[in-house]
Amino acid sequence: MIRHDYSRVEPKRRANIDPKKRQFAKAEYAQQDYKHRLNFYTLPPTAEITLEEFETWAINRLKVLSELEACSFRNRSPEETAEYMTSILNKYLPLRANTSRGTNLQEERKRDHYSHFILRLAFSSTEELRRRFSHLETILFRLRFREDDPRERQGFVRSLDLEWEEVGDDEKRELRDQMLAAIGSKREEEQDWFKVDWERVPELVSQRKVLLKRGMAYVPAKEQTSLVVAEFTKRLDEQLELTARALPRLDEDDRLAPILAHLSQSFTAPEAAYSSSDANIDGLSAINSGAIDTLSQNFPLCMQNLHMTLRANSHLKHYGRLQYTLFLKGIGLSLEECIIFWRRSFKLMTDDKFHKEYKYNIRHAYGDVGGDSNRRGRGYTPYSCQKILTEPLPGPGQAHGCPYRAFNVENLTGLLQRVGIQDREVLQGVKEDVKKQRYHVACNRVFEFAHKKEIKKVKDEGTWSATDLDTIVHPNTYFKRSWLLKHLGDGNAGVVSGDKMEE
Amino acid sequence: MPHSVTPEAIPAVEQLIAKSEPGTQDMAMDDAPSAEVEDKAKVNLEDLFDDEDSDEEFASSAPVKSEEDASQPAATFKISDKSQYSDPDVMRAFYQRLFPFRFFFQWLNHSAVPSNDFAHREFAFTLSNDALQRYQSFPTADLLRKRCIADTPPRIDIGPVYSTNPRDRKTLRKASAFRPISRELVFDIDMDAYDDIRTCCTGANICQKCWAFITMSIKVVDVALRDDFGFKHVMWVYSGRRGAHAWVCDKRAREMDDSKRRAVYGYLELLKGGDQGGKKVNVWRPLHPHLERSLSILKEHFQTTILAEQDPWAEQNSAHLLNLIPDTKLREALQKKWDSSPGRPSASKWADIDSVAKSGALSKSSKELLEAKQDIVLEYTYPRLDADVGKKLNHLLKSPFVVHPATGRICVPIDPRRVEEFDPLSVPKVTELLVEIDEWSGEDSEKKIQDWEKTSLKPYIEYFRVFVAGLLKEEKEKGGIKRERDENGDVMEF
């Protein structure tokens, strides 16, 4: 069915030992010789290391990966990420080129190798963890690949033995114009081209950056990175799948298991940025469907936009409803009230149609119906900015997503003015943020402007700590903070208690 | 009235209320739950019987019904045009006499010998009370047929092939042992997406004018799938009302994972941004060969369909067109011109852009204006795919050849080589077809003539037969030695 050709270790490289003695036998290639800085992590390590090394190496790599994840959440460009990561990589996971004068190249590479495999063990248990691990390892690999010495990189790529067919001269002449148009290049520079099955470069296909002909993608040599990285991810995904299946058979005592469990736990999911405590806001009594109109003043722009669209059209399309429903759930609207809210909002619709076609989805979002796991998990979690920003852009007639990202500048400015942001300077700042694709910065800018007075007050009085005023990365955090700030005098201390806001 | 519901339908395990978007053809249920809604099931069953009882009011349907065995076309009852299209009697006759189960089976099974490709495939039945039964599966075409005749589902959806039989999914020790492993790459083009530029009809209505949107979309997507991605077995199907589906059946396409499906969609998608996003086309120059080719296909349609027929910028509606023109000076000149003569049709306005630009009201280069005009052509004509249908392996899509419950039309294949000739309004309705069978006056020669051959459904089923034969041939060639051995014996007939 599915073949794992790549994932098999070559028979002659396998540790050929009598299974009965395996535990005590010496592997034939205990110490690997690392010729290249980069590593596809095909061969598992076999040498012995101490428990302490096991843990520290893994933790160091984990630190690097978490920083990388933070970079991708903050929407940093590859260059900014590279710059930011340099010092962190040097500290926790140095990996120098052959040409460098470093004396312990082998030791560095060994750590890189071993820590990768330890984390692989720790993060193979669930689909979610595997996906994130593979995503982050891919970013790390790409980062290192870009920075590698060109000659060494070439040597490394050659050693991988990937099957790429070079485009012959005749074909090159025939297709040159099309190939150049496909990569968006106007210059007529000579370069080498590879021909591969398009499935091997889905990234380039998806962005329409290569020429496709009869199922083959014509990839310019400079896109080699993309090919190698895709191959890296593909192999890693396969290997993780295999690791996951082998994991239950890891007949382990209590030395490694706790370390592994601990490692995967400390790698908390970004979705946890929403904590259920966000729904319990001091001083805000149980919300009912009638209160939404008033509360919508405290909503972030994405939700205000949905609310206004809903009021204007008495309807929202599927993804708009989903995004809004989850947000409302997140601010503490109960299922019953939520159904009432939608029923009243869809003024032009018959009861019959509503019950038939809409009610189920609301209940599903709350986990009231649906499969076992849905009900146990109480439906979906409210969407974070990260989630909203990485979803595809809304299509015609749709109003979901992040307005900072989906709207053009004129319409965005118009919308901001409608919700009361008139200040020239702020609008200009938003414009620049948006141009740099820093949508959450724009959103936080608007928040700070709209709550300028209150923020100053809590800062002066010292009632809120710096973490309470950290960058907002979740629409529900936006609401909670906004509501608390606007109700400072209403008998609540305005302390954001208990909830940890992670980035 | 005897319950023509087979016992297996009664402990309906998962009956879910259909939760489709209004108007969309396909249900968004990628992670739709498989819950047992027991209280619901009870209600649904009552409804079901209500429906059965109400049969009596259709006086024209004689009570003679051949229950299970339909191979004897003994049942003779007249259906008048007035019957509701999804009436159980109409449906039963349809499944007994018209639905091409044999080719349907071969299509999904990829061989004449029953295999897991068919047996592990999910089917979802929408019953006449709108309840949805998911995870149905059938080892053979005959069993599927029997079930269809018994339950008379007005709609059948096709899901993926699973790693185990979908019926057994709850008995598995581990939930992960039940996962989708293959399905056709599918596309859905729906008129919904064109509502902002369609002027001739609204909502569920269509006419030949707006069908042109679907025609040009099929042209653009079809050639990209074949020439660029190298797929050979692409079947286009009329969705029964106002859209079309594509089923890419190549083995290579069926085995794609979600990320590859997303890549294909990314390659084909062009228009980005919601209603507030402003300009929807943002592309690099030089144009990617796929876009260059699409543009040359679409140019012609822009002249006829958009400028002449849809006339989207007539009267006061030219604001959007003006917004798309990058040159402020030109924009103002045009605005003035159009304000003074509000009656100008879209074609004249389109021509005005060049003529006003030539007269000197252009501050940018003519190349930029040309590019902006190209972008406008693309915005108004480029295919608008419903992305959610095809990006996931486990999405359901309505099966070909079922009856659309609202229009009564059959979801027939569309030949992409003759897509211009296809007229959705002349697609046969189920009731017409049943009348055609009855009125057929030819003679049964030595070879038995199938009921569908007596009707205007014949050319469509012929097309399907040839399509399936082509697919099977390739599967056999690629299947290698193992398949060959099976084929040595007589080919099994169904």
Side-chain angles (χ1 to χ4, degrees):
Chain A
M1 212 165 44
I2 305 164
R3 271 185 223 122
H4 293 280
D5 293 329
Y6 296 121
S7 46
R8 291 267 155 82
V9 176
E10 281 174 65
K12 61 179 176 191
R13 308 218 61 166
R14 259 187 231 148
N16 280 324
I17 27 183
D18 182 352
K20 286 181 194 153
K21 297 180 189 161
R22 179 169 288 173
Q23 217 175 340
F24 310 103
K26 262 202 158 42
E28 278 171 15
Y29 61 109
Q31 193 69 42
Q32 265 187 56
D33 179 36
Y34 303 97
K35 284 205 183 66
H36 304 283
R37 173 177 176 259
L38 297 167
N39 195 337
F40 250 46
Y41 311 110
T42 317
L43 293 175
T46 45
E48 277 187 20
I49 55 172
T50 66
L51 263 185
E52 202 186 322
E53 280 172 333
F54 185 91
E55 190 163 8
T56 37
W57 292 358
I59 288 176
N60 283 345
R61 192 182 191 88
L62 192 57
K63 277 185 185 142
V64 170
L65 294 186
S66 319
E67 289 290 343
L68 276 174
E69 189 165 49
C71 285
S72 88
F73 287 163
R74 296 199 174 107
N75 239 333
R76 284 204 165 104
S77 68
E79 291 75 28
E80 287 171 318
T81 309
E83 198 190 319
Y84 177 78
M85 291 303 295
T86 314
S87 59
I88 294 167
L89 279 170
N90 279 339
K91 187 168 167 203
Y92 295 111
L93 205 59
L95 199 60
R96 270 175 288 236
N98 287 341
T99 45
S100 77
R101 298 258 177 77
T103 45
N104 44 4
L105 286 183
Q106 288 296 321
E107 180 61 24
E108 281 175 9
R109 289 174 192 182
K110 183 178 171 187
R111 283 189 192 191
D112 176 57
H113 182 209
Y114 281 56
S115 62
H116 171 89
F117 272 93
I118 297 166
L119 291 193
R120 206 189 260 191
L121 269 185
F123 296 140
S124 61
S125 54
T126 70
E127 172 75 42
E128 159 82 11
L129 282 172
R130 283 198 294 274
R131 216 189 55 232
R132 283 177 63 211
F133 179 65
S134 137
H135 175 67
L136 294 175
E137 280 287 336
T138 306
I139 300 181
L140 179 63
F141 181 81
R142 185 184 290 131
L143 187 75
R144 286 169 166 175
F145 191 84
R146 279 160 48 105
E147 291 182 344
D148 208 13
D149 177 86
R151 224 165 356 131
E152 281 178 48
R153 182 165 57 198
Q154 217 51 40
F156 171 69
V157 171
R158 223 167 280 138
S159 77
L160 290 175
D161 203 16
L162 305 167
E163 291 150 3
W164 296 340
E165 192 185 333
E166 271 197 53
V167 179
D169 284 341
D170 290 345
E171 204 175 4
K172 203 156 59 173
R173 226 168 294 131
E174 189 192 329
L175 293 176
R176 201 178 67 172
D177 288 346
Q178 292 192 46
M179 291 195 296
L180 285 173
I183 60 168
S185 153
K186 287 175 190 165
R187 273 170 301 140
E188 306 243 328
E189 64 191 46
E190 277 305 316
Q191 56 177 330
D192 287 334
W193 297 82
F194 295 107
K195 199 156 81 168
V196 296
D197 283 344
W198 74 264
E199 283 98 335
R200 291 178 64 175
V201 283
E203 232 179 303
L204 294 174
V205 171
S206 173
Q207 297 167 26
R208 229 184 283 123
K209 274 189 180 164
V210 282
L211 174 69
L212 287 189
K213 270 248 178 297
R214 312 225 159 272
M216 299 302 261
Y218 289 75
V219 186
K222 68 174 170 130
E223 292 289 356
Q224 204 186 34
T225 315
S226 166
L227 276 169
V228 177
V229 171
E231 194 65 33
F232 176 84
T233 317
K234 190 179 133 211
R235 293 193 190 181
L236 179 57
D237 285 344
E238 282 172 5
Q239 299 266 4
L240 279 169
E241 193 82 23
L242 285 184
T243 316
R245 263 182 254 165
L247 208 56
R249 274 175 283 153
L250 176 73
D251 193 16
E252 219 279 308
D253 53 30
D254 49 1
R255 294 179 309 158
L256 298 188
I259 301 181
L260 292 177
H262 179 73
L263 284 172
S264 61
Q265 270 161 23
S266 59
F267 196 46
T268 46
E271 288 296 318
Y274 171 78
S275 66
S276 52
S277 69
D278 272 3
N280 307 320
I281 302 175
D282 295 335
L284 182 60
S285 51
I287 301 170
N288 62 31
S289 58
I292 302 296
D293 276 317
T294 331
L295 289 175
S296 72
Q297 293 163 6
N298 298 96
F299 288 179
L301 197 62
C302 47
M303 302 303 166
Q304 285 202 40
N305 177 41
L306 284 170
H307 191 77
M308 290 190 300
T309 314
L310 175 62
R311 286 287 172 253
N313 303 343
S314 297
H315 191 262
L316 277 183
K317 291 217 172 195
H318 175 78
Y319 287 102
R321 294 199 304 274
L322 187 60
Q323 181 177 327
Y324 200 32
T325 303
L326 293 175
F327 172 77
L328 293 176
K329 174 174 118 176
I331 69 170
L333 193 69
S334 68
L335 173 61
E336 292 71 32
E337 287 294 324
C338 191
I339 291 174
I340 296 172
F341 171 76
W342 284 109
R343 178 64 283 248
R344 289 201 183 136
S345 303
F346 289 169
K347 271 184 268 184
L348 311 172
M349 189 178 291
T350 60
D351 265 344
D352 190 41
K353 190 173 164 68
F354 180 81
H355 288 303
K356 243 184 184 163
E357 297 177 12
Y358 294 87
K359 200 166 137 188
Y360 186 89
N361 278 6
I362 304 169
R363 293 176 59 202
H364 195 255
Y366 272 79
D368 189 41
V369 286
D372 233 20
S373 59
N374 187 49
R375 277 191 278 182
R376 218 175 302 131
R378 308 190 163 236
Y380 311 133
T381 20
Y383 288 169
S384 62
C385 294
Q386 154 84 357
K387 165 97 177 154
I388 292 172
L389 285 173
T390 48
E391 291 285 290
L393 282 166
Q398 296 180 323
H400 66 275
C402 172
Y404 296 102
R405 170 163 170 256
F407 281 34
N408 69 8
V409 175
E410 288 79 44
N411 291 337
L412 177 62
T413 316
L415 178 66
L416 282 171
Q417 283 167 341
R418 247 174 294 144
V419 300
I421 310 292
Q422 306 283 355
D423 189 281
R424 269 257 192 87
E425 206 175 304
V426 173
L427 291 175
Q428 189 56 36
V430 166
K431 225 183 255 181
E432 276 158 27
D433 294 336
V434 168
K435 214 184 278 165
K436 288 188 211 143
Q437 303 193 326
R438 301 187 175 187
Y439 309 114
H440 70 288
V441 178
C443 190
N444 277 284
R445 185 188 297 277
V446 169
F447 180 88
E448 274 163 32
F449 174 75
H451 303 82
K452 206 165 37 183
K453 251 189 9 228
E454 294 83 3
I455 291 177
K456 189 169 179 302
K457 185 161 173 240
V458 291
K459 265 190 186 160
D460 290 348
E461 292 174 3
T463 43
W464 284 32
S465 68
T467 44
D468 292 338
L469 290 166
D470 207 358
T471 317
I472 295 171
V473 290
H474 199 295
N476 287 87
T477 317
Y478 187 109
F479 169 75
K480 179 174 187 178
R481 205 179 291 174
S482 169
W483 196 88
L484 288 174
L485 284 171
K486 290 293 180 192
H487 294 77
L488 279 176
D490 301 356
N492 76 70
V495 177
V496 193
S497 55
D499 66 331
K500 256 179 72 188
M501 276 170 290
E502 307 221 20
E503 283 228 2
Chain B
M1 159 128 199
H3 295 176
S4 51
V5 187
T6 57
E8 56 178 311
I10 288 174
V13 182
E14 50 292 302
Q15 301 210 338
L16 296 176
I17 304 300
K19 49 165 194 154
S20 58
E21 282 263 47
T24 53
Q25 296 295 330
D26 312 291
M27 288 165 229
M29 49 179 60
D30 31 325
D31 47 5
S34 57
E36 296 145 283
V37 191
E38 267 139 6
D39 52 338
K40 271 278 141 39
K42 213 154 120 203
V43 176
N44 288 341
L45 277 174
E46 280 161 14
D47 292 349
L48 208 124
F49 294 129
D50 280 351
D51 263 20
E52 296 293 332
D53 293 340
S54 67
D55 279 359
E56 251 57 74
E57 68 190 69
F58 297 100
S60 58
S61 55
V64 191
K65 273 173 212 136
S66 66
E67 185 60 41
E68 303 281 46
D69 188 12
S71 56
Q72 305 163 345
T76 50
F77 57 92
K78 291 266 188 292
I79 306 279
S80 78
D81 277 347
K82 272 178 275 166
S83 306
Q84 216 186 331
Y85 299 123
S86 48
D87 174 85
D89 289 340
V90 177
M91 282 291 117
R92 191 170 302 114
F94 170 72
Y95 288 119
Q96 277 176 343
R97 319 180 106 194
L98 291 168
F99 193 90
F101 281 104
R102 185 171 154 215
F103 305 127
F104 183 80
F105 167 78
Q106 293 178 349
W107 172 51
L108 295 176
N109 191 58
H110 314 112
S111 134
V113 188
S115 73
N116 283 348
D117 278 9
F118 189 80
H120 290 180
R121 170 80 74 158
E122 175 186 357
F123 294 94
F125 289 176
T126 308
L127 301 181
S128 45
N129 58 353
D130 277 351
L132 179 69
Q133 292 185 313
R134 287 200 62 183
Y135 301 116
Q136 309 297 308
S137 64
F138 305 90
T140 65
D142 252 7
L143 290 167
L144 170 65
R145 180 166 179 274
K146 267 190 184 157
R147 178 66 183 283
C148 287
I149 292 168
D151 281 11
T152 64
R155 172 178 171 144
I156 302 174
D157 281 88
I158 301 178
V161 179
Y162 282 96
S163 52
T164 47
N165 192 329
R167 286 190 189 278
D168 300 338
R169 70 190 187 289
K170 296 226 162 138
T171 62
L172 297 170
R173 184 96 53 82
K174 279 200 318 200
S176 58
F178 181 69
R179 58 182 185 334
I181 50 175
S182 85
R183 78 154 301 156
E184 290 75 12
L185 171 67
V186 292
F187 296 90
D188 177 17
I189 306 170
D190 194 283
M191 203 69 83
D192 249 7
Y194 291 90
D195 276 346
D196 62 325
I197 53 172
R198 182 162 73 130
T199 58
C200 52
C201 314
T202 53
N205 301 320
I206 59 156
C207 64
Q208 262 140 6
K209 279 186 195 167
C210 49
W211 182 256
F213 283 120
I214 308 293
T215 304
M216 54 187 147
S217 299
I218 292 179
K219 281 188 183 171
V220 168
V221 175
D222 191 68
V223 69
L225 290 174
R226 288 174 204 272
D227 289 2
D228 296 358
F229 289 96
F231 297 131
K232 292 199 193 89
H233 304 282
V234 184
M235 178 166 70
W236 290 90
V237 180
Y238 175 50
S239 72
R241 186 148 65 180
R242 45 162 189 177
H245 301 157
W247 296 78
V248 186
C249 307
D250 298 58
K251 197 176 177 68
R252 195 172 170 187
R254 296 200 310 265
E255 288 175 350
M256 280 166 20
D257 58 24
D258 287 349
S259 74
K260 301 207 178 76
R261 281 165 211 263
R262 272 199 302 277
V264 178
Y265 267 86
Y267 185 82
L268 293 173
E269 265 169 3
L270 179 68
L271 307 183
K272 297 245 169 72
D275 292 343
Q276 304 291 322
K279 200 160 175 286
K280 292 194 180 66
V281 178
N282 295 294
V283 284
W284 296 94
R285 294 299 190 288
L287 284 178
H288 186 279
H290 161 66
L291 294 179
E292 194 70 65
R293 178 187 56 210
S294 304
L295 189 63
S296 67
I297 297 173
L298 294 168
K299 256 182 201 152
E300 199 187 311
H301 287 280
F302 183 74
Q303 294 296 337
T304 53
T305 304
I306 303 297
L307 294 183
E309 291 170 12
Q310 297 292 340
D311 198 5
W313 309 308
E315 312 293 329
Q316 304 300 319
N317 298 326
S318 45
H320 189 64
L321 176 60
L322 285 171
N323 276 338
L324 294 174
I325 293 172
D327 190 311
T328 31
K329 196 171 154 203
L330 178 61
R331 206 186 304 160
E332 276 159 23
L334 286 170
Q335 174 96 62
K336 222 163 103 192
K337 181 169 174 124
W338 295 343
D339 280 348
S340 60
S341 54
R344 287 180 85 72
S346 296
S348 314
K349 285 182 177 169
W350 182 248
D352 285 345
I353 298 177
D354 274 341
S355 60
V356 173
K358 260 194 203 117
S359 68
L362 183 68
S363 54
K364 294 197 172 170
S365 74
S366 57
K367 189 159 162 279
E368 273 169 290
L369 182 65
L370 176 71
E371 286 173 2
K373 282 180 70 181
Q374 286 179 341
D375 288 354
I376 296 171
V377 172
L378 287 173
E379 173 163 341
Y380 277 84
T381 54
Y382 193 84
R384 301 176 174 200
L385 301 171
D386 182 345
D388 300 304
V389 176
K391 282 183 184 169
K392 283 222 174 141
L393 206 59
N394 61 354
H395 216 96
L396 297 177
L397 186 66
K398 184 158 65 161
S399 159
F401 286 105
V402 298
V403 178
H404 192 288
T407 63
R409 298 191 196 280
I410 313 292
C411 301
V412 294
I414 303 171
D415 186 346
R417 287 161 301 180
R418 293 160 57 204
V419 61
E420 304 269 6
E421 297 163 29
F422 185 83
D423 174 15
L425 302 176
S426 67
V427 168
K429 295 184 177 185
V430 59
T431 41
E432 294 165 5
L433 291 171
L434 293 175
V435 171
E436 279 173 17
I437 299 178
D438 290 345
E439 287 172 355
W440 188 73
S441 57
E443 298 232 340
D444 274 316
S445 51
E446 57 254 45
K447 197 171 164 271
K448 200 172 113 33
I449 294 178
Q450 302 283 330
D451 275 342
W452 55 263
E453 292 180 275
K454 303 170 186 169
T455 67
S456 49
L457 196 59
K458 186 177 177 191
Y460 299 108
I461 295 186
E462 287 288 347
Y463 175 83
F464 187 50
R465 184 179 62 78
V466 173
F467 176 85
V468 172
L471 179 64
L472 255 58
K473 187 158 167 269
E474 185 171 298
E475 295 282 329
K476 202 153 86 179
E477 280 161 11
K478 288 204 175 149
I481 307 149
K482 189 173 159 272
R483 277 273 163 77
E484 248 166 52
R485 206 185 48 214
D486 296 342
E487 299 299 332
N488 280 341
D490 290 350
V491 177
M492 273 169 129
E493 295 274 326
F494 292 95

